[in-house]
Amino acid sequence: MNLFSFTELNTQVRNRCLERGLIFRSAGNGLWMCLLLPVALLSNLHNYNGYSELYKTIAVVSIGQFICAVSNILQSNNDHIPFGPIGLLFSSTIVSLVLVFCTDHSLIIILTTAILSSLSYSKVWETVIRKCPRCFTYGEVSLIAQAIVLYLSSFGINLILLWSRYSIKQCHEIATFILQAGFFAVLCIVATATYFPAILRNSFTFLFVLCSLVGIFVLGLPFIVIERNSILWLFQLVNNQKSIPLISLWMVCCLGAVYFLSQQCRDSKPASSGMRKSFHFLIFIVFLPGLIIHPCLMYLASGVALALLILIETARKLNVTVYSNILHSCFKAFKDEKDEGDLALTPLYLMIGCAVPLWMYPFSFSKYIPLPVLAGLLTVAIGDSMASIGGTSFGSHQWPRSSKTIEGTICCFASQIITLFILFYLGFIRIKHSMLSLFTVAVISLLEAHTDQIDNLILPFVSYIMFCLIS
């Protein structure tokens, strides 16, 4: 497809969506983003053996999600050819065939997974953009829809595997199941808030429903399926010499964040770029010691933090009594220029960007931090922050067709290289291919300067893919 036809496709897709009442954020479509999640999950497969049955299944399902995303784009562009049903059939067939050869699942599980995941994509995609107008671009909705479908598929498959024949003992595996169960409770809250908002507007009702769902899924389900008491397991996880100093550091960081957040909200003034980027550095201080000292605890804590952010935003959107005024004032103070809709997505994207490489990485680690796991911290917490600070402070030469400056891009590149060098010198990482690592950082720095998509979301994915391919 030449440049003209791709530009024409972008225009036609946007116009067709507008005719259907689907309103996107005012930026490019970002159609290429439907590649990110499937490629990220598949990028490790050339490098390692011994994947878990769950990881292999989800990696295969992601191929089907890419097919569904492409058919959705083509269907949006052309009503005369039934690309949607064709894509559904093609996706279900490909996923089923690959799962038959690559996994030990029964045929019923394979067919159910392939068909339901393929059917779910377009429904989730349209629901997200209809319920959240002006919040996303086309590509961002595609990525989010893929993530939701893959999460539900992974939870269902994991539940079946654990209930039937698998037992888990590794910290990472137990944390994964508890987080999956917890996010299902959060998803139930979000669904209720979307379709029956009046039920949850009272603060007592909101907390009661939340506590009930947490009790059922976070406490009850692990006890039944994996025969683990979640509270006792968590107490054992944190009650050791490694965890206590780490949790103390996190508490100090949280208190500092709450203090500065309350001060900014009390002033009722929009937060400066420097103030917003200070939270990027703060999340780096939280994540890096966690990855060094206790990766499993960091894995669990990052999932819990994202769940809390989603619940807080749900409470704000619902105007839950008691909390609504405070949350709305904070939203106004820290609203980003890309937050065009009614949702405060910037803090969610920051957490997801830093944590998603850790969630996607299929193997545990202890001695060295794998470079792919650092993808989010390097790009979002360090590179993007320094690009903003450098560009604002002394940027004077803009890139063509971009508001970003060349000086900011140089700061983005240099800060990531310096961070990698310090971590390598301290013995926390290994760098096997230094020139390829430099090339990866250079690509990320240029992408940060030229993309009009959410950089907190796409930079970690692109960096993760490239680091996986060179590791």
Side-chain angles (χ1 to χ4, degrees), residues 243-259 282 286:
S243 302
I244 293 176
L246 184 62
I247 294 174
S248 300
L249 172 65
W250 290 349
M251 290 179 65
V252 171
C253 291
C254 288
L255 290 174
V258 170
Y259 173 76
L282 185 64
V286 168

Side-chain angles (χ1 to χ4, degrees), residues 1-14 29 31 73-74 77:
M1 182 178 288
N2 57 41
L3 180 61
F4 173 76
S5 60
F6 186 75
T7 304
E8 187 179 16
L9 174 65
N10 264 299
T11 304
Q12 290 178 351
V13 166
R14 181 176 286 271
N29 284 334
L31 302 180
I73 292 170
L74 296 175
N77 183 52

Side-chain angles (χ1 to χ4, degrees), residues 168-438:
I168 55 176
K169 296 181 180 179
Q170 297 296 322
C171 177
H172 183 87
E173 295 174 322
I174 298 171
T176 295
F177 184 74
I178 291 176
L179 284 177
Q180 287 176 334
F183 272 106
F184 193 79
V186 172
L187 191 61
C188 291
I189 289 285
V190 173
T192 305
T194 302
Y195 293 101
F196 309 102
I199 296 176
L200 298 177
R201 285 208 172 100
N202 180 272
S203 57
F204 175 79
T205 307
F206 185 89
L207 291 174
F208 176 78
V209 173
L210 175 61
C211 292
S212 300
L213 290 171
V214 168
I216 294 169
F217 291 104
V218 179
L219 302 180
L221 198 60
F223 186 79
I224 295 171
V225 178
I226 61 175
E227 298 179 348
R228 295 275 180 173
N229 184 316
S230 299
I231 297 176
L232 181 60
W233 177 81
L234 181 61
F235 178 77
Q236 293 171 344
L237 185 66
V238 301
N239 189 29
N240 59 62
Q241 293 182 346
K242 291 194 303 182
S243 302
I244 293 176
L246 184 62
I247 294 174
S248 300
L249 172 65
W250 290 349
M251 290 179 65
V252 171
C253 291
C254 288
L255 290 174
V258 170
Y259 173 76
F260 286 112
L261 190 66
S262 61
Q263 289 293 110
Q264 187 66 46
C265 295
R266 189 180 294 115
D267 294 340
S268 300
K269 296 178 181 178
S272 64
S273 176
M275 171 62 75
R276 288 200 298 268
K277 296 305 177 183
S278 65
F279 285 92
H280 289 228
F281 293 121
L282 185 64
I283 207 168
F284 181 83
I285 296 172
V286 168
F287 264 78
L288 185 62
L291 295 176
I292 294 170
I293 298 171
H294 205 320
C296 181
L297 183 58
M298 186 70 254
Y299 177 88
L300 179 68
S302 59
V304 172
L306 177 62
L308 289 175
L309 288 174
I310 293 173
L311 290 171
I312 290 171
E313 177 57 14
T314 303
R316 186 195 70 82
K317 192 72 172 62
L318 281 171
N319 288 316
V320 174
T321 54
V322 180
Y323 315 112
S324 59
N325 292 335
I326 300 172
L327 296 176
H328 280 296
S329 63
C330 291
F331 172 66
K332 291 178 181 178
F334 285 90
K335 185 177 182 179
D336 190 81
E337 59 183 7
K338 293 181 179 178
D339 288 329
E340 295 180 14
D342 294 332
L343 297 181
L345 296 172
T346 302
L348 296 178
Y349 287 146
L350 176 60
M351 177 57 67
I352 292 171
C354 291
V356 75
L358 176 61
W359 299 339
M360 288 192 298
Y361 196 71
F363 301 101
S364 59
F365 57 92
S366 56
K367 188 174 182 181
Y368 298 104
I369 305 174
L371 282 182
V373 174
L374 288 173
L377 294 182
L378 284 173
T379 57
V380 174
I382 298 297
D384 179 56
S385 302
M386 292 307 299
S388 177
I389 294 172
T392 303
S393 301
F394 44 84
S396 57
H397 301 85
Q398 285 189 337
W399 288 101
R401 297 183 298 276
S402 174
S403 61
K404 305 294 181 67
T405 64
I406 297 175
E407 290 84 357
T409 302
I410 293 172
C411 289
C412 179
F413 176 80
S415 61
Q416 292 180 78
I417 294 300
I418 291 171
T419 302
L420 283 174
F421 175 78
I422 292 173
L423 294 176
F424 175 76
Y425 180 78
L426 294 175
F428 296 136
I429 63 173
R430 289 189 297 181
I431 301 177
K432 294 182 180 179
H433 306 287
S434 55
M435 294 306 297
L436 290 175
S437 298
L438 286 172

